[in-house]
Amino acid sequence: MDLVKHVRYFVAVTEERHFGRAAARLGMAQPSLSQRIQRLERELGVRLFDRTSRGVELTEGGRLLLAEARPLIERADTLLGVAARVRSGAAGVLRAAVPPELGSAVVAALVGGFRDGSPGVRLALRELGAGTQLTELRAGTLDVGVLRYPVDVAGLGLGEVLSRPYGVVLPHTPGAGCGPPGAPPPHGGAGGPVGLASLSGLDLVLFPQPSAPALHAEILAVCRRHGFEPGTVIAGQDPEFVDGMVLSGTAVTFATRDRKLPPGTAWHPLEGEPLLEQVSAAWLRGRQDDPVVRLFAEVARSVLTERGGMVPVMETAAARRTTLPGPAYGYTV
């Protein structure tokens, strides 16, 4: 029995003090209403009305239950209203994640854009690597994420894949040039293009392998394919540590153009743009029609293009390159 619905019938009969008028108000036949009130009485074990030729009168038990019935209906209406707002994307919590090193301006714009688009929904945003995002998406503890490729996207719905090139961060001393021998002098905080092969022998500071194993493997494979064999691959992600290693003159790191750099370092594009950052929003396919998930994905796409300098991957040279599946992971995007 739908208890709340039957309580609504009970309250209607009480207010009309007549089954016929209550049935007309509820838009149902009188016999059907009478049967449902009788069923409620059986369910509760309480006679609610005294039936007379003129109508109905509440019993003492009916009066006691009426005092509880109205608050019950109000609470049910409130609950149904909140549920409707959650379904429509006007209320609730969205559990979301972005990858590390996405950029402070991008993260701030993402949070602000989502808040403006759905002020009633609290965005619970975390910074998570691709592997953890995948695990949490499939476990249902994460609603939507921004994944950095390559990753295994089986079972996921995806937003548009966006891309921007990685460059290399090198030490720079004004008047003394920077980076590998022969590198063009920097200008405006960035230097000329650098070939990967010219970096060979230097150490490479790279994010920890477990946080994004496929991307880690792909970057090293591209380095070797273009003649850059790092002396040592050093795991590091904290900017202070990474910058310190670069400033030591023994190591380099890869970063996108918008990364903030300390004095004494400079960003250089890589010749031929062999390394690309590629990302997209991702969610379980079953959440495809969730309005809040769709809003987050759209805000992420907009922010990454407008603030992050990304472009749809299909508009880049990378789309025309053949990418082979990594042997250790068996997938690419």
Side-chain angles (χ1 to χ4, degrees), residues 158-184:
L158 301 174
E160 186 174 28
V161 180
L162 304 173
S163 174
R164 60 182 173 182
Y166 282 116
V168 61
V169 182
L170 300 172
H172 164 59
T173 302
C178 66

Side-chain angles (χ1 to χ4, degrees), residues 58-83:
L58 276 172
T59 64
E60 181 60 24
R63 278 191 287 274
L64 291 172
L65 289 173
L66 181 62
E68 303 298 330
R70 287 180 169 134
L72 174 64
I73 292 173
E74 290 175 2
R75 295 291 300 274
D77 288 343
T78 300
L79 183 148
L80 292 173
V82 171

Side-chain angles (χ1 to χ4, degrees), residues 40 65 78 86 98 104 160 162 174 186 189 212 229 234 251 264 269 279 281 291 295 297:
L40 178 62
L65 289 173
T78 300
V86 171
V98 295
S104 57
E160 186 174 28
L162 304 173
E229 189 67 43
I234 302 168
V279 304
L295 172 64

Side-chain angles (χ1 to χ4, degrees), residues 127 214 283 309:
E127 182 186 87
W283 57 87

Side-chain angles (χ1 to χ4, degrees), residues 155-237:
L156 299 181
L158 301 174
E160 186 174 28
V161 180
L162 304 173
S163 174
R164 60 182 173 182
Y166 282 116
V168 61
V169 182
L170 300 172
H172 164 59
T173 302
C178 66
H187 175 70
V194 169
L196 276 174
S198 68
L199 305 174
S200 200
L202 291 169
D203 294 339
L204 173 63
V205 188
L206 203 55
F207 56 84
Q209 189 267 354
S211 66
L215 178 59
H216 193 278
E218 182 180 270
I219 289 175
L220 293 181
V222 170
C223 287
R224 294 180 179 121
R225 195 157 59 240
H226 288 78
F228 174 29
E229 189 67 43
T232 302
V233 178
I234 302 168
Q237 205 156 21

Side-chain angles (χ1 to χ4, degrees), residues 231-252:
T232 302
V233 178
I234 302 168
Q237 205 156 21
D238 177 76
E240 295 290 332
F241 174 79
V242 175
D243 293 341
M245 292 303 299
V246 173
L247 284 167
S248 75
T250 62
V252 300

Side-chain angles (χ1 to χ4, degrees), residues 90-322:
V93 177
L94 183 72
R95 301 164 299 181
V98 295
E101 302 173 7
L102 201 59
S104 57
V106 169
V107 172
L110 176 57
V111 173
F114 182 83
R115 184 179 57 230
D116 292 344
S118 188
V121 177
R122 183 171 69 84
L123 178 63
L125 186 66
R126 291 179 289 159
E127 182 186 87
L128 297 174
T132 305
Q133 284 197 44
L134 288 174
T135 299
E136 292 213 16
L137 282 170
R138 287 164 179 153
T141 56
L142 186 68
D143 299 315
V144 62
V146 175
L147 287 175
R148 186 173 281 140
Y149 296 121
V151 290
D152 181 0
V153 297
L156 299 181
L158 301 174
E160 186 174 28
V161 180
L162 304 173
S163 174
R164 60 182 173 182
Y166 282 116
V168 61
V169 182
L170 300 172
H172 164 59
T173 302
C178 66
H187 175 70
V194 169
L196 276 174
S198 68
L199 305 174
S200 200
L202 291 169
D203 294 339
L204 173 63
V205 188
L206 203 55
F207 56 84
Q209 189 267 354
S211 66
L215 178 59
H216 193 278
E218 182 180 270
I219 289 175
L220 293 181
V222 170
C223 287
R224 294 180 179 121
R225 195 157 59 240
H226 288 78
F228 174 29
E229 189 67 43
T232 302
V233 178
I234 302 168
Q237 205 156 21
D238 177 76
E240 295 290 332
F241 174 79
V242 175
D243 293 341
M245 292 303 299
V246 173
L247 284 167
S248 75
T250 62
V252 300
T253 192
F254 298 125
T256 53
R257 177 68 180 87
D258 63 339
R259 184 182 184 280
K260 291 183 179 178
L261 299 178
T265 62
W267 183 90
H268 296 252
L270 291 169
E271 290 177 352
E273 297 185 352
L275 291 173
L276 295 172
E277 178 186 31
Q278 298 181 29
V279 304
S280 83
W283 57 87
L284 284 181
R285 285 179 185 161
R287 303 291 300 273
Q288 181 73 31
D289 297 326
D290 188 319
V292 187
V293 168
R294 292 206 310 270
L295 172 64
F296 180 89
E298 177 53 32
V299 171
R301 187 201 63 77
S302 176
V303 167
L304 287 167
T305 53
E306 295 174 7
R307 301 294 185 90
M310 290 190 163
V311 297
V313 71
M314 297 307 294
E315 298 178 8
T316 68
R320 297 187 290 274
R321 287 204 291 259
T322 300

